[in-house]
Amino acid sequence: MNRSTTILLNLVLVGCLGLFLWWAEGNLDGYKIQILNLIAVNIILALSLNLIYGFTGMFSLGHAGFMAIGAYVCSILIMTPEQKVTLFILQEALPWVQNSHAPFLVAVIAGGAVAALFGLVIGAPLLRLGDDYLGIATLGFAEIVRVIANNIPRVTNGALGFKGIPDHANLWWNYGWCLLTLYFVIRILNSNTGNVFKAIRDDETAAKAMGIDVFRIKLLSFTFGAFFAGVGGALLASLLTTIDPKMFLFTLTFNVLMIVVTGGLGSITGSILAGTGITVMLEWLRFVENPVTIGDWTLPGIPGMRMVVFSLVLILVILFRREGIMGMREIHWGTVARFMKGGKA
Amino acid sequence: MNLATFIQHFLNSLTLGSLYALIAIGYTMVYGILRLINFAHSEIFMLGAYLVFWGITLFHLPWPVAMVASIILVAGIGILVDRIAYRPLRDAPRISALISAIGVSFFLQNVAIVFFQAIPRQVYRPAWLENPMLWGDVRVLPLTLFVPLLSLFLMLALVYIVYHTKAGLGMRAISKDIETSYLMGVSVNKVIALTFGIGSALAAASGIMWALRYPQLQPIMGAIPGFKAFIAAVFGGIGSIQGAVIGGVALGFIEIMTVAFFPDLAGYRDAFAFVLLIGILLVKPTGLLGVKTEDKV
């Protein structure tokens, strides 16, 4: 399959996605559109964690922290100054928080950039740590971000958080960012840098012996991952229109980790499939948590059941199919073409 | 700050520190043997507290009986978790077991939300722990003495098991080299199960005493103390029981004394431990008493 055909096919696929979104916008109800939006955001988050963990082998549990940073930065920028006056009721906002205002695109990029900056700053000392120590240290970072967000009411409005964030994040923005993330991740993984990422993942000592500056490359991957986690957080803030520090508990990281592991560590296709599937299932399973009425007989909802099911899924995946749905395989046009010809995919 | 308040802060630090230490021991023992951060440990802690609550409210057991029953049951749950979620992954990459542990932790937490409900519950406290004693200006609850003393007793029992019994010898052997221990005839899986049992029992004891000290039960009550105790274990040098005790007590003192001397920092209390963690990992990743191991190629 030559390069121009691949590009053409990709454009056709993007066109189809565009048509679908255009159709969805006019024909689906708000709840279904919300699910479609969440799918895009979850795919962005899963891709960014997969870049860090699945492709570079750094076990990071700090995603909620980067998302919180992206979400707060973006929200502060897109809310109007008048809105902030009414929002900060306990303590007045600091002048720079009060006065800064930017269009949505700039705000999302700023959210990602600040998250990336934090990734760079905390990555520099932490990435020297080994796998599970890195996990626990990045988890510590995410918790510190949350505690700080709770304690600087003049910037974050403390435990009350923000309400009424402008809902700019529609299908077009979310899928636009999703495609951009996808494009970027694929490009970097197909470049030489991507090969170095995988070399470090597979054997760090060997990579070092081959003369790779392991630390610099790890930092690069971590910073990129943090950027897209920040973008995901920013989109999520505008999508949900409310944020508060409680939202960025470890559960949030857990959900992203579950998508990445179920999809397959080191598989982009896997992250997309699992991102879609798990988001739909998470919403679909809400019905077990809500009361169900059959005739005049009401079954009470069972709060917490959804996460029971999902933690079980994660345990079962890790016990019985450790490589997830896709393992490290990918579906691309080459595999599709071979499949069409009737050969082995 | 006068002497009386200082003594009270000191005793509170000691209480909190010994609770952290008891949980930290479970983390450190499992990590020492399997190189696994047992995330589910904080849920074991939570279950310990809840089982006492149910033992008293549902079965009307006297408090000490409920406590012993809960510790035994929870030890069993700890062993079961290892059998189901960790043992099949012994040969898998280390991170797989860690993800499984995170899964188990969320599973137990949400099972608790489903069965125990998320509303906070009040815990019954035996009267003899409640009546304050007065020494001059110092007002002390018997509880603040009971917790460190019982903890000390449990730790001494643990030291006896680890250093003076055959099973303890097995534990120490496995933590040095699991494969050679197999060859030398140690029943590795049994010893690991025992380790989980002991660690879980200590966590349950800590959870029960935690519920006496801060008398409110919630399904997520284990998460924060669990993380902090893990940090205490890392601080003391993971894999070392003495290190876990020192780390736990030190963390108790750091948290309470910092807030006592700098009341402005009270809102950041939950972050101290994480700052301490990142600090110790950067300066001395092996912790106070840990031994450095080199990567073998």
Side-chain angles (χ1 to χ4, degrees), chain B residues 41-57 63 66-67 69-71 73-74 77 112 116 121-124 200-222 225:
Chain B
H41 203 57
S42 40
E43 273 53 54
I44 295 285
F45 164 91
M46 173 268 296
L47 286 177
Y50 261 104
L51 289 183
V52 169
F53 172 82
W54 292 115
I56 293 171
T57 40
W63 187 79
M67 178 162 174
S70 155
I71 291 180
L73 267 173
V74 166
I77 296 174
F116 305 156
R121 306 210 180 242
Q122 289 295 317
V123 183
Y124 157 81
S200 304
L202 293 178
S206 177
I208 295 162
M209 290 192 279
W210 186 280
L212 294 175
R213 181 76 183 73
Y214 308 96
Q216 218 176 40
L217 295 183
Q218 272 180 307
I220 56 161
M221 65 184 276

Side-chain angles (χ1 to χ4, degrees), chain A residues 46-58 180-202 217 220-222 224-225 228 264-272 327-330:
Chain A
L47 286 174
S48 63
L49 185 62
N50 213 343
L51 186 70
I52 296 178
Y53 178 30
F55 288 105
T56 325
M58 297 178 289
L180 192 74
T181 313
L182 190 61
Y183 176 76
F184 178 83
V185 170
I186 291 176
R187 279 305 292 264
I188 199 164
L189 287 175
N190 286 340
S191 72
N192 192 34
T193 319
N195 289 336
V196 178
F197 285 177
K198 291 173 206 159
I200 294 175
R201 170 193 67 194
D202 293 338
I217 299 288
L220 183 77
S221 162
F222 194 70
F224 279 136
F228 286 110
L265 286 166
S267 166
I268 295 173
T269 325
S271 285
I272 296 172
M328 283 193 193
R329 292 182 299 270
E330 300 286 359

Side-chain angles (χ1 to χ4, degrees), chain B:
Chain B
M1 186 178 294
N2 60 23
L3 188 65
T5 11
F6 180 78
I7 293 178
Q8 271 171 10
H9 283 309
F10 183 87
L11 288 174
N12 283 337
S13 312
L14 200 63
T15 307
L16 184 63
S18 38
L19 291 176
Y20 283 148
L22 282 182
I23 318 174
I25 290 173
Y27 276 116
T28 225
M29 284 172 75
V30 168
Y31 194 92
I33 289 182
L34 295 178
R35 304 283 176 272
L36 164 72
I37 302 172
N38 182 11
F39 264 87
H41 203 57
S42 40
E43 273 53 54
I44 295 285
F45 164 91
M46 173 268 296
L47 286 177
Y50 261 104
L51 289 183
V52 169
F53 172 82
W54 292 115
I56 293 171
T57 40
L58 280 184
F59 300 103
H60 306 288
L61 296 175
W63 187 79
V65 180
M67 178 162 174
V68 174
S70 155
I71 291 180
I72 293 173
L73 267 173
V74 166
I77 296 174
I79 294 174
L80 207 64
V81 166
D82 167 56
R83 180 69 192 82
I84 295 172
Y86 305 151
R87 203 203 277 185
L89 294 171
R90 293 266 201 270
D91 299 325
R94 268 169 58 198
I95 297 294
S96 300
L98 186 58
I99 293 173
S100 179
I102 295 176
V104 172
S105 159
F106 269 77
F107 176 72
L108 292 177
Q109 206 176 81
N110 285 288
V111 164
I113 292 177
V114 169
F115 286 104
F116 305 156
Q117 273 136 33
I119 41 164
R121 306 210 180 242
Q122 289 295 317
V123 183
Y124 157 81
R125 291 210 270 188
W128 56 273
L129 287 172
E130 286 250 271
N131 305 327
M133 301 182 289
L134 282 172
W135 296 333
D137 287 340
V138 188
R139 203 171 149 274
V140 182
L141 286 180
L143 184 67
T144 26
L145 298 177
F146 172 76
V147 172
L149 287 177
L150 183 62
S151 309
L152 188 68
F153 169 74
L154 290 173
M155 289 170 202
L156 290 177
L158 175 75
V159 168
Y160 176 78
I161 293 177
V162 173
Y163 292 98
H164 298 278
T165 63
K166 203 119 194 217
L169 186 65
M171 284 176 196
R172 282 178 290 144
I174 296 177
S175 72
K176 289 272 185 255
D177 188 332
I178 194 162
E179 273 146 28
T180 314
S181 312
Y182 258 119
L183 298 176
M184 302 302 282
V186 180
S187 350
V188 171
N189 280 326
K190 272 190 200 150
V191 174
I192 292 176
L194 182 71
T195 310
F196 271 91
I198 293 175
S200 304
L202 293 178
S206 177
I208 295 162
M209 290 192 279
W210 186 280
L212 294 175
R213 181 76 183 73
Y214 308 96
Q216 218 176 40
L217 295 183
Q218 272 180 307
I220 56 161
M221 65 184 276
I224 299 268
F227 277 142
K228 287 184 183 168
F230 174 75
I231 291 168
V234 174
F235 180 65
I238 196 133
S240 146
I241 292 175
Q242 292 87 335
V245 174
I246 295 173
V249 174
L251 185 60
F253 272 89
I254 291 173
E255 283 198 340
I256 289 192
M257 289 301 180
T258 317
V259 175
F261 283 100
F262 309 98
D264 287 349
L265 292 176
Y268 290 97
R269 199 181 134 169
D270 282 345
F272 295 162
F274 292 103
V275 174
L276 180 74
L277 169 79
I278 294 179
I280 189 88
L281 286 180
L282 295 179
V283 180
K284 194 170 184 302
T286 47
L288 293 178
L289 301 181
V291 218
K292 196 167 163 42
T293 47
E294 291 288 335
D295 274 354
K296 288 184 203 118
V297 183

